[in-house]
Amino acid sequence: MPSEAPVTSDVPAGHDRGATEPRPGVPLRRLLLALGDPVLDVAAAPEGLDVQVDNVLILDPEDRTEVRGGDLVLLIGARGGSARRLVRRIAEQGASAVAVKTGAPPEGSPVRRPRVGGDDLAPLRAEAQEAGIALLAVRPEVRWDRFQAVCQSIVDDARLLEDGDTGEADGDLFSMAQTIARLTGGLVSIEDSASRVLAYSSGAEVDELRRLSVLGRRGPESYLALLREWGVFARLRAGEEVVRIDEHPDLGIRRRLAVGIHAGDRPLGAIWVQEGSRPLSEHAEEALLGAARTAALQMIRQRTRASAGLRLREDLLSSLLEGRIDAAALADTVEVHSRRAALVAAFAPVGEEGQERADRPERELRRRRFLDLVSVHTAAYRRSALVTELNGRVYALLPDLTRDGDGVERTVMTLCGRIVEAARSALGLRVRAAVGSPVRRLADAPDSRAEADRVLEAMRGDADREVASIEDVRSRVLVRETLALLREEPSLRDPRVSRLVEYDRDGGAELVRSLSAYLEAFGDARAAAERLHIHPNTLRYRVRRAAEVSGIDLSDPGERLFTQLQLLMEQERPAP
């Protein structure tokens, strides 16, 4: 069979596979860091994330391609048992990692489970674990050729830099400074709100102010005092106005433009453009304004961005909570015990009045500050706590718990209450918190997260509840999910109830509302009428009329129960 072709023969063009000394590689961990936003998930890492990768190649099962130690093999086209056998063979030949494509998750699935070629990833993960090779699950939309080129470039760059960093923290701002310089025709510096120089463009013809600022990484105090005296800083902090500073030859200052960088009404810094021997470009001010708005988001991310290692931890936690990676990969990175109990707490914003009007940097700042607030509180409770964000919600994983699930859950509920209060008092944010039940091992953390999500959804109907566990809202959760099932399965609905709803909608007879109140009051007409502010006889008439129109037998307990459920579903249905 073609898929059983050996993987130990011809050398693909462009790869020197001779018997040479092994080239220096890069740890798989570092490759993941350099990739940035996750395009893949670590499905298995039995030897940890520090295995060395020194080459990246694409392997088609029909090709006869040599595999050796240090390779990251991108396995294409293999399915089922053939894929498992190839993974084992690649591992036996010493490759460091193998990558496969994942299929799309089922439509509407609450937890994304990776799939490969239509088969569940679990068998392939088990094979990789047993063979001792890292397994990477690549997102289906990623092109193999581009992925191979990017990964090989990272490996090659790391080799050239030897032990250098994976990236300069200020690289984006330096690139931004060069771009602004080209657009304006001047010499650019980007400073924070304390006048510290964060980045600057290259070029000659610098004046004394720029020379001293760049050399000292901050504007000299004598010049800063002059700018304050001239009101420049006040204008920069006030808004997006482009400020013009005239030339002062006696002070060594050439003509300048400056603009403040803001996140909402919060000043982050400023961009300065010094004119050289030639005038600034005609559209310099327009370019400067656009640059300030773009730089704001970059500065927020750079200011609040965690180290590369922490970003990887957040990515791995997100992958674990979505059921996309093996728990051992996370445990290897953050030194938690994969066989100890854990639970997940979830936090969701409430209302967010005015946030739709907030600009993007302001929203980013608010989001990051809340993420930091949760991190601080959960770290104080447990050193190994991890925090990440998924789909607008913040999740905290609390690992290494004792077996006393009830006591732990009560403690975490108290902790979440403090976080909710701190968010309100310190950040002006209203949030709700849900605590998932403890699970016996780290691999089951997605189940705790899914339960926390269910609780948050149920809390939407209770404006007064800010912190809850499944025990607090179990009936609400179950009813909500039963109604969702009714919405998805028309065959489960009673056509008589649907007929009543249509009749009431066309005639405006208030039959549905009256019957719902009657059923919720267990048939107590007086209590239901009082709730609706109508006479009990009016309510009794409407209930009889509803039974006549629909044909429902309200003396039958089963029909009463199902009628109430379907009416609840109809009342919660969004308007067309």
Side-chain angles (χ1 to χ4, degrees):
M1 295 175 61
S3 61
E4 297 302 308
V7 292
T8 57
S9 185
D10 297 337
V11 180
H15 289 268
D16 179 10
R17 312 294 284 176
T20 58
E21 288 294 318
R23 296 178 296 174
V26 55
L28 178 59
R29 184 191 311 277
R30 183 166 168 183
L31 181 64
L32 297 174
L33 291 171
L35 283 171
D37 290 338
V39 296
L40 57 82
D41 302 305
V42 183
E47 303 298 325
L49 297 179
D50 289 322
V51 294
Q52 296 290 306
V53 175
D54 66 17
N55 187 64
V56 186
L57 62 90
I58 295 177
L59 174 65
D60 189 313
E62 297 186 8
D63 294 336
R64 298 173 63 85
T65 303
E66 178 186 359
V67 175
R68 71 171 190 181
D71 279 343
L72 164 56
V73 181
L74 313 183
L75 182 59
I76 66 174
R79 298 291 185 270
S82 173
R84 294 197 296 274
R85 287 187 286 274
L86 279 169
V87 166
R88 178 166 290 278
R89 192 172 303 171
I90 290 167
E92 290 171 350
Q93 293 178 352
S96 297
V98 59
V100 296
K101 275 284 184 75
T102 63
E107 187 74 23
S109 174
V111 178
R112 299 172 52 182
R113 301 286 182 183
R115 301 179 67 82
V116 180
D119 296 329
D120 188 80
L121 187 57
L124 203 56
R125 175 188 288 150
E127 192 74 39
Q129 287 280 13
E130 186 176 339
I133 188 171
L135 177 66
L136 309 180
V138 180
R139 303 293 171 83
E141 65 271 17
V142 177
R143 285 181 48 177
W144 278 125
D145 55 344
R146 292 183 180 175
F147 183 71
Q148 190 269 346
V150 169
C151 290
Q152 189 64 57
S153 175
I154 292 170
V155 172
D156 292 341
D157 288 348
R159 187 176 295 119
L160 290 173
L161 294 171
E162 295 183 344
D163 294 328
D165 267 338
T166 54
E168 170 66 39
D170 294 331
D172 289 343
L173 286 180
F174 274 94
S175 175
M176 170 76 70
Q178 288 295 135
T179 300
I180 302 169
R182 287 193 295 270
L183 293 174
T184 61
L187 292 90
V188 175
S189 63
I190 302 176
E191 301 179 359
D192 65 13
S193 56
S195 298
R196 289 185 292 261
V197 178
L198 303 176
Y200 53 89
S201 64
S202 59
E205 303 177 337
V206 300
D207 63 10
E208 185 68 4
L209 174 55
R210 179 177 174 82
R211 186 183 69 82
L212 293 174
S213 298
V214 170
L215 287 177
R217 301 294 289 191
R218 188 178 189 274
E221 185 54 42
S222 59
Y223 286 102
L224 297 180
L226 282 174
L227 294 174
R228 282 193 289 269
E229 182 182 333
W230 296 338
V232 172
F233 287 127
R235 294 167 66 188
L236 292 176
R237 287 193 298 270
E240 291 186 322
E241 173 193 5
V242 175
V243 180
R244 304 175 185 84
I245 298 97
D246 294 333
E247 183 177 15
H248 293 271
D250 54 322
L251 299 173
I253 300 178
R254 294 189 179 182
R255 178 174 176 260
R256 269 175 174 68
L257 296 178
V259 66
I261 304 172
H262 298 84
D265 57 0
R266 176 172 178 164
L268 301 178
I271 303 176
W272 300 79
V273 181
Q274 178 216 305
E275 189 175 68
S277 59
R278 291 181 296 178
L280 297 176
S281 67
E282 180 183 356
H283 300 291
E285 293 191 14
E286 181 181 349
L288 198 54
L289 180 59
R293 293 171 177 173
T294 304
L297 187 57
Q298 275 185 232
M299 288 180 69
I300 289 294
R301 287 175 175 166
Q302 183 168 303
R303 173 185 292 187
T304 59
R305 184 167 54 194
S307 67
L310 183 54
R311 290 200 306 278
L312 177 60
R313 286 166 51 152
E314 289 184 3
D315 290 342
L316 288 174
L317 175 57
S318 297
S319 298
L320 175 70
L321 295 183
E322 290 188 318
R324 295 184 277 114
I325 68 166
D326 180 56
L330 179 67
D332 171 70
T333 301
V334 300
E335 299 181 354
V336 298
H337 296 278
S338 59
R339 297 190 179 277
R340 291 186 184 173
L343 68 75
V344 175
F347 302 86
V350 179
E352 307 241 22
E353 292 85 1
Q355 291 205 23
E356 67 281 357
R357 297 185 296 273
D359 61 17
R360 191 179 174 195
E362 187 174 7
R363 291 197 305 271
E364 178 75 8
L365 180 62
R366 183 185 294 114
R367 181 197 67 81
R368 189 71 225 188
R369 289 176 70 191
F370 179 61
L371 204 65
D372 290 342
L373 184 146
V374 176
S375 298
V376 168
H377 280 76
T378 54
Y381 168 69
R382 189 160 298 275
R383 183 184 298 275
S384 54
L386 292 170
V387 177
T388 192
E389 183 188 36
L390 279 170
N391 303 319
R393 290 179 176 174
V394 173
Y395 295 92
L397 172 68
L398 302 174
D400 299 339
L401 301 178
T402 66
R403 295 295 181 186
D404 181 13
D406 291 339
V408 166
E409 196 170 334
R410 285 194 296 270
T411 302
V412 175
M413 289 276 287
T414 301
L415 171 67
C416 289
R418 290 200 298 268
I419 291 174
V420 168
E421 177 56 34
R424 180 167 46 243
S425 59
L427 304 180
L429 289 178
R430 287 189 63 218
V431 297
R432 289 195 181 106
V435 179
S437 295
V439 291
R440 299 188 63 181
R441 57 194 185 118
L442 190 63
D444 296 327
D447 297 334
S448 183
R449 178 254 172 136
E451 183 176 278
D453 280 335
R454 295 168 69 199
V455 172
L456 279 178
E457 291 299 321
M459 292 171 69
R460 288 186 176 186
D462 190 344
D464 297 327
R465 192 182 295 274
E466 294 183 326
V467 182
S469 69
I470 189 70
E471 294 302 324
D472 299 311
V473 292
R474 189 182 298 277
S475 62
R476 189 185 295 272
V477 167
L478 295 177
V479 169
R480 184 183 183 90
E481 292 175 359
T482 300
L483 297 183
L485 184 62
L486 283 176
R487 274 189 286 270
E488 294 169 5
E489 294 291 340
S491 62
L492 296 179
R493 302 176 200 167
D494 188 334
R496 296 174 299 175
V497 179
S498 299
R499 183 164 60 245
L500 174 63
V501 171
E502 288 299 320
Y503 176 87
D504 198 56
R505 184 177 294 140
D506 293 339
E510 294 276 344
L511 300 185
V512 166
R513 184 162 172 259
S514 298
L515 180 57
S516 295
Y518 176 77
L519 293 172
E520 288 177 12
F522 301 102
D524 186 335
R526 290 189 176 277
E530 184 176 346
R531 176 181 167 188
L532 297 176
H533 305 292
I534 59 176
H535 194 277
N537 288 340
T538 303
L539 179 77
R540 294 186 182 97
Y541 167 76
R542 289 179 181 176
V543 170
R544 287 196 303 271
R545 183 62 182 149
E548 293 170 0
V549 169
S550 63
I552 298 169
D553 182 4
L554 294 177
S555 66
D556 185 310
E559 292 198 22
R560 286 200 307 271
L561 172 63
F562 204 82
T563 296
Q564 185 175 3
L565 280 174
Q566 191 167 335
L567 289 179
L568 282 172
M569 181 203 72
E570 295 289 354
Q571 289 169 339
E572 290 189 3
R573 185 188 299 274

